[in-house]
Amino acid sequence: MKIHRLGKNGPELPALGLGCMGMSPMRPQPGRRDEDAESVATIRAALDAGVRMVNTGDFYGMGHNELLLREALRGRRDQAFLSVKFGMMIAPNGRPLGLDVGPRAAKNFCSYSLQRLDTDVIDLYQPGRIPTSTPIEDTVGAIADLIAEGKVRHLGLSEVTGEQLRRAHAVHPVTAVEVELSLAGRAAEGDLLPVARELGVGVVAYSVAAQGLLTGAIQGPLPAHDARNWTPRFQGEALAKNLHIVAQFTAFAASRGWTPTQLAAAWVLAQGEDIVALVGMSSRERIQENLAAADIELSSDDLAALDRMFSPGAIVGDRYAPQVLEMWRS
Ligand SMILES: NC(=O)c1ccc[n+]([C@@H]2O[C@H](COP(=O)([O-])OP(=O)(O)OC[C@H]3O[C@@H](n4cnc5c(N)ncnc54)[C@H](OP(=O)(O)O)[C@@H]3O)[C@@H](O)[C@H]2O)c1
C-alpha cells in the first residue's frame, strides 16, 4: 500500500489504517461471540492486506475493543502500529460521564490499556478530548513521562484546536493529531491543519466516510437503535438533504469506476502525504474494496468537481450533538 509519513519526523506507515470503534457495542453486551470472532478476523485480514495502524480507544466498548485487538494481535504485535485514545468516562449502563485526562488518569488508563492489550508499549497514545478544566500541558507532561519510561512511543492528540496543539508541542513534540476529515467535514482545514503542517505534526483522519454517510449504504432514516440518530447530520430534513448530495457523489464515483467509500477515502489521502486515513469497518467483506482506495489517483478535475459538490454548507447538520460537545468542553 502507498506509504505516508506521519508528520515531519514521524513514522512511515501505510496510508490507510483500520478504525475499530464500530466493532464494540456502546453498552455492555455479554455473549457477542459471533460478532467478536468476525471483528478479530477483520483486524487480522486488514494486517494481512498491508494495514499497520489500528485505531482504538480504551472507552470503545469499555475495554472490549482492546480485548479484540489483544486477541487479533496474538503472535503478531510487531505488525501493528497501535493507536489508543483514553479519557472518556462511561457508566456501566453506557451513559457518558465526561472526561478525565489529568496526569494521574493518563498514567492509570495507560496501565490498564497495556494490560488489556497484552503489550509492553503503545505506539501512539492520546487523550480523546481536552476539556477546558485540564491544562493540556499537564496531560502532555504525563504522556511525556510514559514515553521516557518506554510505555508509549509517540504522543498524539485528538480533536484539539490549533492553539492547543501549539501549547502541547511546546511541552513535547506531538507526532500526530487525530481529527475528523472528510468531504462532509472539512472544519479542520480552517484552524488545525495549517498549524499541524507548520509544526510538522502528522494527521490521522477519522470518519473519512462521514460515519458511513458517504458510503452510499444509507438510504433513509437509520434504525431507532443506531447511535448516529443523535448526530444532527443524520436527523430529519438534514439527512434528506445530505442524502441528495450523497446520491450525486455516488453517481460521480460510479462514473469513474469507484465505489463511494473508495472515493471518500481517496479524497482524504489526496489532501496530503502527512495523512493516515482511518476507515471504519467491522467485517472482512469490506477490506478489499476499501483498501483499494489507496491506489486511486484523483485528477485536478476530479478534485474540483468534488469541491463544487461539497461546497461550504452543502452538508447540513453538525457532526456531534450539542450536549455531547458541551460535555467534552467542560
Ligand atoms: N478521535 C475521535 O474522536 C474519533 C471519533 C470517531 C471515530 N474515530 C476513529 O475513526 C474510525 C472510523 O470512524 P467512523 O466509524 O466514525 O467513520 P467512517 O470510517 O467514516 O465510517 C464507518 C461506517 O462506514 C461503514 N462502511 C465502511 N466501509 C463500507 C463500505 N465499503 N460499504 C458500506 N459501508 C461501509 C461501516 O460499516 P461496518 O462497521 O458495518 O463495516 C461503518 O458503519 C473509528 O473506528 C475510530 O477508530 C475517532
Side-chain angles (χ1 to χ4, degrees), residues 153-173:
R153 288 205 172 98
H154 298 278
L155 165 65
L157 296 169
S158 168
E159 285 289 342
V160 288
T161 63
E163 193 233 330
Q164 286 176 316
L165 175 57
R166 280 187 200 286
R167 284 171 51 192
H169 199 70
V171 176
H172 188 281

Side-chain angles (χ1 to χ4, degrees), residues 18-23 55-57 60 85 88 128-129 158-159 178-180 205-213 215-217 228 259 261-262 278-283 286 289-290 320 328:
L18 176 66
C20 299
M21 182 179 72
M23 297 175 181
N55 184 274
T56 185
Y60 290 173
K85 288 181 292 298
M88 297 203 180
R129 297 286 185 281
S158 168
E159 285 289 342
E178 191 170 312
V179 68
E180 177 162 345
Y206 76 80
S207 293
V208 300
Q211 298 174 282
L213 182 67
T215 63
R228 291 171 292 186
T259 70
T261 313
Q262 288 174 334
L278 301 173
V279 184
M281 46 184 162
S282 38
S283 60
R286 308 255 194 245
E289 173 192 338
N290 291 351
Y320 289 111
W328 287 336

Side-chain angles (χ1 to χ4, degrees), residues 31-85:
R32 288 173 26 111
R33 285 189 198 85
D34 290 350
E35 292 98 322
D36 289 353
E38 182 57 28
S39 296
V40 168
T42 302
I43 297 164
R44 289 184 180 149
L47 294 173
D48 291 342
V51 161
R52 277 202 68 212
M53 181 180 284
V54 285
N55 184 274
T56 185
D58 60 12
F59 44 87
Y60 290 173
M62 292 136 283
H64 176 268
N65 210 251
E66 292 180 321
L67 293 174
L68 294 177
L69 281 161
R70 172 198 187 105
E71 179 65 23
L73 300 182
R74 204 180 291 281
R76 54 191 305 184
R77 167 68 186 90
D78 57 336
Q79 293 169 28
F81 183 90
L82 257 176
S83 167
V84 181
K85 288 181 292 298

Side-chain angles (χ1 to χ4, degrees), residues 110 114 120-122 143-153:
C110 183
L114 288 166
D120 295 333
V121 61
I122 292 169
I143 302 175
D145 288 348
L146 292 167
I147 292 172
E149 289 163 26
K151 301 298 179 196
V152 167
R153 288 205 172 98

Side-chain angles (χ1 to χ4, degrees), residues 180-187 205-210 214 233 264 267-268:
E180 177 162 345
L181 182 62
S182 75
L183 277 160
R186 300 178 64 166
Y206 76 80
S207 293
V208 300
L214 299 179
R233 67 185 169 196
W267 179 86
V268 173

